[in-house]
Amino acid sequence: MKLSYVRTVVAVAVVAAVSGMTTTAANAEPVSSFGYTSEPGASPLSGTAEWSAPADEIDVWEYSGAVKVDAATADGWESARVELSAPAGEQLHEGTYTGARFRGQTAPQLETPGFFVVRSTRSGALGCIDVYADFTISRLTRAADGTVTDLDATFNQRCGAADGPGSHGEVHFHR
């Protein structure tokens, strides 16, 4: 009898622990952040900035083969966008991409990876089309419908010259 009682107590404890973990995971806030640090003279990103949800708005979405990261302050006065894409004929996946260059929505597909960054403030927006970048995607998960649900990425970008001042940034997005 005592053994049966012990089994019942252990089973109840295990069920309670698993239920608690499931409830905690289901109620957990999504983790989203985007930030960068720039060397003096870097463009279009300058200084240091960081956005973290839920105080700021961060969204990751995919369009025309590019994963786009949008970050904005809640009041919308400051924002940044980074676009990451694989070389022509490939889908973006986890890995390191070197030698990335600008690829606009109307530009032809490039043999190199694509990268674009733009920074907007109250005084206007700056983008870089003469970009030199490397980026690493350490996590990229898509839902069944193709929506990006998880992204961890880092990037290094320079505008105007491959050896000019640059910016280093990172993105963490988990729905």
Side-chain angles (χ1 to χ4, degrees):
M1 268 249 204
K2 284 186 177 184
L3 185 56
S4 174
Y5 175 76
V6 170
R7 286 183 184 154
T8 302
V9 170
V10 169
V12 168
V14 168
V15 168
V18 170
S19 296
M21 288 188 298
T22 304
T23 302
T24 302
N27 293 331
E29 288 290 321
V31 176
S32 298
S33 65
F34 172 68
Y36 66 83
T37 300
S38 300
E39 298 170 353
S43 177
L45 304 176
S46 61
T48 299
E50 184 169 329
W51 293 269
S52 295
D56 301 308
E57 297 180 26
I58 299 173
D59 195 22
V60 175
W61 52 291
E62 195 163 8
Y63 178 76
S64 194
V67 170
K68 301 171 186 254
V69 179
D70 291 329
T73 56
D75 63 10
W77 284 108
E78 295 185 47
S79 64
R81 171 180 282 179
V82 171
E83 298 182 7
L84 312 167
S85 55
E90 295 181 31
Q91 183 179 30
L92 195 65
H93 56 81
E94 293 173 358
T96 298
Y97 296 84
T98 59
R101 301 294 303 206
F102 172 73
R103 179 181 306 143
Q105 290 179 343
T106 60
Q109 292 293 312
L110 301 175
E111 297 302 316
T112 64
F115 187 90
F116 178 65
V117 63
V118 64
R119 172 90 160 106
S120 299
T121 64
R122 291 180 184 204
S123 58
L126 294 172
C128 181
I129 59 172
D130 191 16
V131 69
Y132 300 85
D134 299 320
F135 59 92
T136 298
I137 297 177
S138 55
R139 183 175 180 172
L140 177 58
T141 307
R142 294 176 177 91
D145 67 359
T147 303
V148 175
T149 58
D150 292 289
L151 175 68
D152 287 317
T154 59
F155 65 87
N156 292 294
Q157 72 92 30
R158 299 176 187 289
C159 185
D163 60 352
S167 300
H168 169 75
E170 60 184 65
V171 175
H172 303 284
F173 179 80
H174 306 286
R175 284 196 180 160

